[in-house]
Each structure stands twice: as C-alpha cells, then as structure tokens.
Amino acid sequence: MKRNRVTLAAALTLALTLIVSAPALALTISPNQGPTAGLTPVTLQDGNELFATISTGSQNDLFLDAAGHVWAAGINTNGELGNGTVTSSRNLLAPILPAATTFTSVASTKAIPGASFAVTSAGAVWSWGANSTAQLGSGSVTPSRTTPAVITGIPAMSTVSAGVGYAMGLTPDGAVWTWGTNLLGQLGRTGGAAPQQVTGLPAGITAISAGGDFGLALAADGTVWAWGNNASGQLGRGTTTGSSATPQAVTGLPQIAEVSGGGTHVLARATDGRLYSWGGNANGQLGIGAASGNYGTPQLVTIPTVAGVSAGGAHSMVKLADGTSRVWGINASGQLGNNSTTNSNAPITPQLPAGKTVAEVHGGANTSVWIMTDHTIYYAGDNNSGHMGTGSATNYFFVPTLAAATLSSVAFGGTAATGVSVTGANINATTPAHTSGHVPVDVNWVYGTTPVKVTQQNAYTFGVAPTLTGAAGNHLAGSSVNYSYTRAGDELPSVAVTAGSLPPGLTLSTSGVLTGTPTNAGTYSFTLTATNGLGTVDLPDSITITAITVTQDPVDQTVNDGQTATFTASATSLLSPLTVQWQSSTDGGTTWGDIAGATATSYTTPATTLSDSGTLFRAVFTVPGDGNSATTASAELTVNIVPVLVVTNPANQTVSDGDTASFSAVASGSQPITVQWQSSTDGGTTWADVTGATDTTYTTPATVLADSGTQFRAVFTGPGAANSAISQAATLTVNPVPVLVVTGPTDQTVTVGDTASFVAAASGSEPITVQWQSSTDRGATWIDIAGATDTTYTTPATVLSDSGTQFRAVFTGPGTGNSATSQAATLTVKFVPVTVVTNPQNRIVKPGEKATFSSTASGTGPITGQWQMSTDGGSTWTNIAGATSDSYTTPAAVLGDSGQLYRRVFTGPGEGNTATSEAATLSVQRIIPPNPPKPPTPPTPPKPPATPPNPAKPGTGGLAVTGGDIALAAGIGAVLLAGGATLLVLRKRRKKDDQTLQS
C-alpha cells in the first residue's frame, strides 16, 4: 500500500507533490520536434519509468503507470481488481475506468476483503471492491462492487489512504474526510459511515495515513495527530488501552516531516532525519531491539539519517539518505528480503542488488516493494495471490526480486522508432518518417506477460513549425507602404494581427503583406501570429508613421571657451509648413528643455563656457495644428579650454620694518582660474604656498627685517590637466627703522645696602639690544655692566662708595651704526647713623674669675667697636688694646679691679658717625669663710647698741647676693666688732632670700 511521504508544506504543495509522485505524464522528449523524414535521435528523459507508484495491499496491489493509468493484480473475490469480475489474476488487469482520465493516486487496503481507491487529477475519488463496512464511501453497507464508481458528496481530494474497513481522504486545502466503519473511532469523529469531514484538527493538514484501525494526520507545523484504536498504544498517548474518536496530537516528538501507519504501529520521520516509532511491537516492528510489548510513547530508533518511511502490516521499511534501505519486524513471508524467515527487532539491510539507489519503499501486509531511481522495481515477501502482477506462480520471495518489465518498443504517432535502448532512467530512440503534425509517443512494455502502453499525447512534432520574421520600420504619413513579412514552414502559415492595431490606412493580408497609405503619425505596436497545422508563432512588431522627415541632423561642434557655436538642421513634410524649436540637454539626453528664441533652422549659442561642454542640442520640427513632430538626432557641443596666461606680473616692493607689502598679478584663460601665492627664502630655489593667499593681490603681514630678500610669485591654475602658469618673482626689501631712545633713566637716591633700578626704552626695528654702562669718573669713561642687557637695570646692594656712580643704556638695532645712548643718571647712596642696640651689663666676679661684657650697634657698615675702661669712675677712658669684638672678656680679676667701668665706642662710615654704649661696673667680691660655731650661752637681754648703726650708703663697698651673682648694692651696713672683725649685713633683693654673711 502506498504511503503518503509528503514533506512539511502548504496544502497546495502537498497536492503538487502527490501529482509528481504519480504523474500527469512526466515524459520529456528532447528534442521534441524534427523533420518529417525522421532519423532524429531523441531522448525520452525518465522514459524508463513504467509505474510511477504501487500500493501494496494484503492480497491485491494497485499500480499507477507513468501515463496515469491504473492497473491491478491479485485476489479478486470481492471485485478488488475492478474489472467487472471476481476472478483473481496473477497478471496485470486494467480496472474499468474512463480511458481518457488521468489518475494521480491509488490506495489498496492491507486486509481481506480488500477495497481499492484511485484519485483523478481533478480530485475525484473512484472506489471498488468489498463494502461490508461502507468503506467504498457509499454511506451504507452494500454488496461488493466489481466495477469502479465515483464517491459522491465529497470535495475534490489530493490523495486517499485506506485502512481496515474504512478510508480517509485529504483535500488540497488540508481538510481530512473519513468514511466506513467507526467501531473503534477510526473515523476520528462521531456520526455515520458516510463521508464527513474530521473536526478538531489544525488547519492545513499536509499528509494522512490510515493504519489498520487508527488514523494519522500530519499538520503543517510538524505535529502528528492520531485517533482510533489504542490497544497497542498506536495513538501515542502514553497508554496502551481503549480507543478514541477525537484527534489528539502525539507528544514527545520533534518536528515531523513524514508519518506512516501499519497494522498496529507507527513510523515518523523527523525533519532532521531521525526516526521515531510507537504502538505494537510483538514482532519487533518498532526496531528498538526488542520484540515484545506495546509502546504508547514514541521511541527513538537507532539508525542513520532517514529519507523515507513505510509501515507494513507488522514490519517496517525505510529509505536512508544515502539511497540504501533498512527493514525490520516480522519476516514469516520473507518480506525483509534477507533470504530468511527470521524476524528482526532491529534494522537490517535487505539484499538489494549492488549499485542501485532506492527512490521509494512500499510496505504491504506481508510484502515489501522497492522502486529504484532508474525506475526498476524489486519485491519480496508473500505472492500467494500473484498480487505482484508478474504472472509468477511463486508464492514467496525471500530476496528482493526484479519485477519482469520489458521495454518492447517506442512509437511516434503509431510508427515504431528505431535504435531503442535504455540508459539508466532514460530511453534513447531514433524517430521514424512521419507526416507533419503533432503526434503521441507510446512507450510499450510487457510487465510479466501483460502489455502495458505508456502514452503521452502530442509529445513530438514532425515537420517545421511556422516562422515569421520582419520589421515594418518607419514610414512617412501620406506616402504609400508596401512591406512583406517573411513566413516559412512545412505548411506555409497564414498571418493575422492578433494584438494591438495597425496605423489607419494600412492593412495586412494573410500572406503577410502590409499595404496602404498611412494618414496619422505615431508609433503603433502590434503582434502578428503565423499559424499552420504544426503550430503558431508570434512576432511582436511596431511601425512608426512620421509626419515629418528630417533631412539634415545637426553635427557636433567644437569651439574654444568664450566662442560661440552654430548648429543647423532641416526637415520636410507632406502635410504643411513646419516650425522648429531647438532644445538642449545637460544630462546626456535624459531631459530636454526648449531654448528661448531658438526657432530658426540654425541656432548660434551665446559665448560658451567650459560648463557648456557636453551639452546636447537638437531641433524639434512640428506640423502646426495637428501636433505631429519630428526630432533630429542630437549634436554635442565640445568647449576647449583656453590655456592660462599671466598678463600682469608682481613688482618688487620696498617697505620699512613693521609695514605691510602688497603684490598683484593677473592671468587670462578659461575660467575658473585659481591663484596661489608662493614665497621663497632661498633665492627661488624652493617655493612654499602662502596659506590663504588665493587672491590676485597678496598683502603680507607686518614685515620684519628677516623678511627682506623674500621673493613672491603667483601660480595660476585653470580647468583641465596641466593648465597652469607662474608669474615672475618679485623681491621684498625691508629697511630697518633707526633706534631712538624714547625713555631715559633718572637719578636714583637709596640708602646704603638697598638696590637701585634704572629704566630706559628705545624704539626702532627689532631686534634691539640694550647694554647698561656705568661711570665712576663723572662720565669721563664708561664700562659695560656684565649681564645688564634688559631695559631695566637693578644694581646689587649699594655701598657708600657707589654714591656718585652714573648709569646709562646703549641701545643697538639691526644694521650698521644703528645705535642710541640714553642720558646718564646718577646714583646717590646715603648711610644709616650708628645706634647702640645692646649695652653691656654690670658684672660681679670672685677673685681669679673673668668677666665678660657684650655690646652691639646698628647702622651703615662697616661699623667698628672699641672697648674702653675707666678706673676713675668714668672721668677718663682708655682704649683696651685689641678689644674690638662684640664681647670683651677681662683677664682674671683681682680685688683691686673692683669698681672699674667698661664701655664700647662704635664708629661708622661718615664724618661724626659714632655712638658710645652705657658703662658697666665690674665688682670683685672677697669671700671670708665663717667662724666655727660656739656653744650656746644663756640668752641675755639685748642691750641697746652704744651707737646706732649707720645705714649703709650706696657705693660703700657693701656686697649683696642676687640670684647667685654678686653685685654692689645699696643698703649694706657694717658694724665693727670686737677684735677688729667687721660684720657685714647683706640683703638679697628677692624677698625670700635674705641671708647674713659674717667675716
């Protein structure tokens, strides 16, 4: 039974795919036309195809030949062969079907009693055979039918698939219809046995397959839908019980491209070539390595990439992508083709002949069929009823066996061809002689013992089909026309206008002659058709009727830029005087514009410019009143470039430093002319563009002396290649501006130790250098001051000897003798008088110790200090030799030094610039050790002193201790004690430190 292996596509694609796999005849003859004498070698491409497809049932098979005719063989108990009898046949028989009808699909059930179906190219479904369950689509159970009849009440179908006691059909738009028994829900719906559409399916179903008692549909999105008996899990719903009349998608699958239902199992090929199976597996038909149980969920089969599938009664067949085949499942009848009857629960390779490539596989109830790419057919398995149609009496074939199909002859129009041979899928032949005309081509076969004729109508043409050539061309209105088209062919064709129209005034004869006098101008398009018994040929043509004939076209003109150009044209007309309008085009003739005032036969342009070059000119001649016109050919204007020529050269320029200079140059030639000024600082050896200097006059920036000697020139560039000119060079001379002192230094008076600043300025050409000079002899001689080269000169810290020094600035500019000297300015330096800052302090020392006195002074240096000493209370003072430091330390003191005074005399620069410090006193203390302590005596009342003690007077030699230092102090009293001892009483100035010293 043929399985519908249809890839995912729209419903229309499905229908086309089915038609191709079962022809409407696909025979192609090359070449398809030749002479009536014959002897033309031709190739019938794919002519070796006898049967386009085979539907393998249980005990009867249906064959669809390459011309779309149906054949049958096998058991005929219920009229399965459709030939009006119940006699079985091991040879092919033709069911009683309309002879002129082409069929595209056939289906046979895998059960006994069997039913047969065939679909025409128009979509009508014919059925015959057993009808015990209304499977023939009649809507009721009636006796078997031995002759085919059309199923009524259904739309046009693309294909039909038959199960056990029921069938299903697919419309071109993807709707599914079912009829027959519905005992197990195999119709996928409720309702009676009459044909009805299945609801609950996605729109646009692309393929169907009827299993034993369950149905399958493949949706456009690659999902598989199932309904009916589920006792073996064939609905793929995860269970192995019950049944369902409601279609439901099988889960656990990828996108599927092809599905096929067997007796109780299903094969599904994914778009990527993987294979899935589910359902009954009692004979290993799922190919998963086991031969028991039922599987309600899809199982992935381990197998190379698959390109086609077909599920038999209890075995499976696939075509692999490499063109080989694999089979598995039950093998009781040898249907696995491996020369045994042992079942296989995994894919095995059938013993097909080497070198053959499998095109299709078809699994019947107990039979396997392979159709090869060269159209040969091999079969294996059960042949008890001879349903392979070869006439063989052998009941079982355990290896794939070639179906005995012999090419007997090829005929063209009923006349046999010669040189017939087969090369692969093609048939080669040489045509016979034949009268002209279109003829059918017959390919005559003997299949087993049955002659089978595959005919393609009007496939070849004898004789030469008609030809028609010519072109009417252009004609002038009012002039006569007599033009003949050339026609040829084995039968001289007649010619007629079949589209468009001829110009008014012209007619065409059947012999192809165009005559008459056209009256209206214009272009007329039409189609002429030449016809004879061998065919027709079309000749599109046009004729242009012009009211005007151009007698002179303008010719191309070449002028120089600035010149004028003249174009001339002329035309004649039989209708009336003509007007003329010149036009121009600047885009190569794409668009045209009228030239104002250009209405004579000659047109002279204004003075041309280079942009006019390439402009096209033409003249349009018009018949006033009726709109007829004729346009001349176009003529092109070429405008040559006038070379650039310098007419005015720049002149030398002399300016003073800081001024600008202007240079001018002028050139003539075709515009646009650009100018670029250049300068050279090396006498014209090298030149550099002056940035931005692109006008005919160039003005320099403010000049400097370094610019002197620079040369300037103008480079003029016009349109076109190498169109430039260079002016003569002009030299710039820059004269320096003399140096002039504009600011002189002024006298400065500062205090000794300060700095003095003198400022001078000069104008003139830069660079101007400055050198300060000084004079210590009132300007008699001058000496450069090192490093004093700025307009401001600041002296070092001044000393008194700087006073009276004069300063001036000497400015030197560029050029010889270009200098100027400023007036002189005098520096006056004043001194600071000497001032005592620190006076010496009184000192008390013990005999043998030294005393140090310190004193400092400020004022303008150098300051000298001389220590002096007085031994007479300051009346006279004597310099201490060598005592000139800030500190003076005495020799070791003796008691006789006590009372000496010390001071320091400071002397600074300048007359009378002295200062003397205050005097400091040196006291030398004599220390008398205390007497040892005496035993205590009873206290006696104190007696008043005989003579009150005299208060101590300052300067009496009394001693006082203050902070550890010994110094003369007031308030010292002396008491003369017995034995000549003297008691000295001293009081320390600090309150807490009073003490008494005895001696």
Side-chain angles (χ1 to χ4, degrees):
M1 173 178 182
K2 173 175 169 55
R3 296 296 158 202
N4 298 314
R5 294 174 304 285
V6 181
T7 56
L8 289 172
L12 178 59
T13 303
L14 170 69
L16 293 174
T17 302
L18 290 172
I19 290 172
V20 169
S21 64
L25 179 65
L27 185 63
T28 299
I29 302 175
S30 178
N32 63 0
Q33 184 175 5
T36 56
L39 302 179
T40 301
V42 296
T43 299
L44 284 66
Q45 297 174 2
D46 283 322
N48 197 34
E49 182 179 30
L50 172 56
F51 295 120
T53 190
I54 299 174
S55 178
T56 54
S58 175
Q59 292 297 315
N60 67 288
D61 294 348
L62 294 179
F63 302 78
L64 186 65
D65 72 24
H69 301 140
V70 179
W71 301 80
I75 196 168
N76 197 28
T77 306
N78 296 283
E80 290 92 334
L81 303 188
N83 66 338
T85 73
V86 292
T87 303
S88 301
S89 174
R90 287 181 174 268
N91 294 303
L92 292 182
L93 297 175
I96 303 173
L97 290 166
T101 301
T102 299
F103 289 84
T104 59
S105 178
V106 292
S108 177
T109 58
K110 295 186 177 81
I112 299 176
S116 301
F117 301 87
V119 182
T120 71
S121 57
V125 180
W126 293 69
S127 63
W128 60 95
N131 195 37
S132 57
T133 57
Q135 61 262 54
L136 296 187
S138 61
S140 61
V141 175
T142 59
S144 300
R145 191 164 62 229
T146 60
T147 57
V150 174
I151 299 177
T152 60
I154 62 174
M157 296 291 169
S158 297
T159 189
V160 171
S161 184
V164 178
Y166 79 103
M168 54 198 304
L170 179 66
T171 66
D173 61 0
V176 178
W177 287 63
T178 57
W179 56 89
T181 182
N182 198 27
L183 183 64
L184 297 172
Q186 52 264 63
L187 298 187
R189 56 175 174 79
T190 58
Q196 294 183 38
Q197 183 176 348
V198 178
T199 59
L201 288 172
I205 295 297
T206 61
I208 57 174
S209 181
D213 44 19
F214 64 97
L216 299 167
L218 179 62
D221 62 359
T223 55
V224 176
W225 295 70
W227 60 89
N229 187 12
N230 193 43
S232 300
Q234 54 266 59
L235 301 190
R237 300 183 182 181
T239 64
T240 57
T241 58
S243 61
S244 173
T246 302
Q248 184 173 315
V250 178
T251 59
L253 290 172
Q255 191 179 48
I256 299 301
E258 182 182 7
V259 65
S260 178
T264 61
H265 73 290
V266 182
L267 299 179
R269 173 175 64 89
T271 55
D272 60 6
R274 287 179 293 169
L275 181 66
Y276 292 83
S277 62
W278 64 91
N281 193 40
N283 297 286
Q285 58 263 51
L286 298 188
I288 57 176
S292 61
N294 299 314
Y295 291 81
T297 57
Q299 306 294 306
L300 178 63
V301 181
T302 301
I303 194 170
T305 303
V306 174
V309 299
S310 181
H315 72 289
S316 299
M317 304 179 68
V318 298
K319 177 186 76 169
L320 300 185
D322 62 4
T324 62
S325 177
R326 299 292 186 271
V327 292
W328 61 91
I330 193 168
N331 197 26
S333 300
Q335 54 262 57
L336 300 188
N338 65 339
N339 201 23
S340 77
T341 56
T342 302
N343 295 353
S344 176
N345 54 30
I348 62 173
T349 303
Q351 295 180 9
L352 290 166
K356 294 283 188 177
T357 301
V358 176
E360 297 181 18
V361 291
H362 300 278
N366 298 294
T367 307
S368 297
V369 175
W370 295 268
I371 299 178
M372 303 301 180
T373 56
D374 63 358
H375 306 303
T376 55
I377 299 170
Y378 290 82
Y379 57 89
D382 175 57
N383 190 39
N384 269 297
S385 301
H387 52 92
M388 286 307 299
T390 61
S392 172
T394 302
N395 290 330
Y396 298 97
F397 294 92
F398 301 107
V399 295
T401 302
L402 177 65
T406 304
L407 176 63
S408 61
S409 66
V410 175
F412 289 78
T415 304
T418 58
V420 177
S421 63
V422 176
T423 303
N426 299 332
I427 296 176
N428 305 310
T430 301
T431 61
H434 200 283
T435 57
S436 63
H438 305 296
V439 299
V441 176
D442 302 323
V443 182
N444 297 303
W445 298 86
V446 175
Y447 184 79
T449 61
T450 304
V452 178
K453 178 187 291 186
V454 177
T455 299
Q456 180 165 338
Q457 299 294 329
N458 298 322
Y460 189 81
T461 300
F462 282 98
V464 178
T467 61
L468 183 64
T469 58
N474 300 329
H475 299 272
L476 186 64
S479 63
S480 62
V481 174
N482 189 330
Y483 177 77
S484 296
Y485 290 93
T486 302
R487 56 192 180 125
D490 282 357
E491 299 175 5
L492 204 58
S494 62
V495 182
V497 177
T498 55
S501 62
L502 297 174
L506 295 184
T507 59
L508 179 73
S509 68
T510 58
S511 60
V513 179
L514 189 65
T515 58
T517 300
T519 57
N520 292 351
T523 297
Y524 300 83
S525 298
F526 49 88
T527 299
L528 304 182
T529 302
T531 306
N532 65 11
L534 302 179
T536 61
V537 64
D538 291 335
L539 175 66
D541 194 18
S542 64
I543 184 171
T544 299
I545 306 301
T546 58
I548 305 165
T549 299
V550 174
T551 56
Q552 181 182 352
D553 288 312
V555 296
D556 296 342
Q557 298 293 319
T558 299
V559 297
N560 287 334
D561 181 20
Q563 295 179 334
T564 62
T566 299
F567 297 90
T568 301
S570 61
T572 61
S573 175
L574 299 177
L575 300 181
S576 69
L578 300 176
T579 63
V580 63
Q581 173 63 60
W582 285 91
Q583 295 179 330
S584 64
S585 172
T586 58
D587 56 8
T590 301
T591 59
W592 293 86
D594 289 346
I595 301 172
T599 56
T601 54
S602 290
Y603 166 65
T604 299
T605 68
T608 58
T609 63
L610 289 180
S611 61
D612 296 329
S613 193
T615 301
L616 301 179
F617 295 87
R618 70 182 185 184
V620 179
F621 291 92
T622 304
V623 176
D626 67 0
N628 287 314
S629 64
T631 302
T632 67
S634 62
E636 183 174 1
L637 171 63
T638 301
V639 181
N640 290 331
I641 296 169
V642 177
V644 174
L645 177 65
V646 176
V647 295
T648 302
N649 286 294
N652 296 335
Q653 299 294 320
T654 300
V655 297
S656 294
D657 180 23
D659 292 340
T660 61
S662 293
F663 299 89
S664 294
V666 178
S668 64
S670 292
Q671 295 297 323
I673 298 176
T674 62
V675 61
Q676 174 63 60
W677 285 91
Q678 296 180 328
S679 64
S680 174
T681 57
D682 57 7
T685 302
T686 59
W687 293 86
D689 289 347
V690 180
T691 302
T694 56
D695 202 352
T696 53
T697 295
Y698 166 61
T699 300
T700 68
T703 57
V704 296
L705 291 178
D707 296 331
S708 192
T710 301
Q711 292 179 305
F712 294 88
R713 70 181 186 183
V715 179
F716 294 94
T717 303
N723 184 22
S724 63
I726 301 175
S727 72
Q728 296 176 357
T731 301
L732 170 65
T733 300
V734 182
N735 292 327
V737 177
V739 175
L740 176 66
V741 176
V742 295
T743 301
T746 59
D747 294 343
Q748 299 292 319
T749 299
V750 297
T751 302
V752 65
D754 291 341
T755 61
S757 293
F758 298 90
V759 177
S763 64
S765 293
E766 296 292 343
I768 299 175
T769 62
V770 61
Q771 175 62 59
W772 286 90
Q773 296 178 332
S774 66
S775 173
T776 58
D777 55 6
R778 298 185 180 276
T781 58
W782 292 90
I783 299 172
D784 289 345
I785 302 172
T789 58
D790 202 354
T791 54
T792 297
Y793 168 62
T794 300
T795 68
T798 56
V799 296
L800 285 178
S801 61
D802 294 332
S803 191
T805 301
Q806 291 180 306
F807 295 89
R808 72 181 184 184
V810 179
F811 293 93
T812 303
T816 303
N818 185 21
S819 65
T821 302
S822 73
Q823 64 191 27
T826 301
L827 172 64
T828 300
V829 182
K830 300 185 299 182
F831 63 82
V832 178
V834 176
T835 301
V836 176
V837 177
T838 305
N839 287 297
Q841 300 295 315
N842 296 335
R843 291 289 184 257
I844 301 175
V845 298
K846 296 176 182 179
E849 295 179 341
K850 297 178 180 181
T852 299
F853 299 93
S854 297
S855 180
T856 60
S858 64
T860 300
I863 299 174
T864 61
Q866 176 61 57
W867 287 94
Q868 294 179 336
M869 181 180 69
S870 174
T871 58
D872 56 5
S875 296
T876 60
W877 292 88
T878 304
N879 289 339
I880 301 172
T884 58
S885 299
D886 289 346
S887 294
Y888 168 67
T889 301
T890 68
V894 296
L895 289 175
D897 295 334
S898 188
Q900 293 177 349
L901 299 178
Y902 292 87
R903 71 180 185 185
R904 191 176 184 196
V905 178
F906 294 95
T907 302
E911 185 176 355
N913 185 20
T914 62
T916 302
S917 72
E918 295 177 357
T921 304
L922 173 65
S923 298
V924 181
Q925 173 189 349
R926 179 178 180 181
I927 302 301
I928 301 175
N931 291 326
K934 294 181 180 182
T937 59
T940 58
K943 294 180 179 182
T947 303
N950 293 325
K953 293 181 180 179
T956 59
L959 298 174
V961 179
T962 301
D965 294 330
I966 300 176
L968 292 176
I972 300 177
V975 179
L976 181 66
L977 299 179
T982 300
L983 175 63
L984 300 176
V985 179
L986 306 106
R987 174 169 293 169
K988 191 173 183 182
R989 291 174 180 171
R990 296 180 183 175
K991 293 179 181 182
K992 66 179 181 177
D993 242 338
D994 289 344
Q995 56 182 321
T996 301
L997 302 176
Q998 292 182 345
S999 63

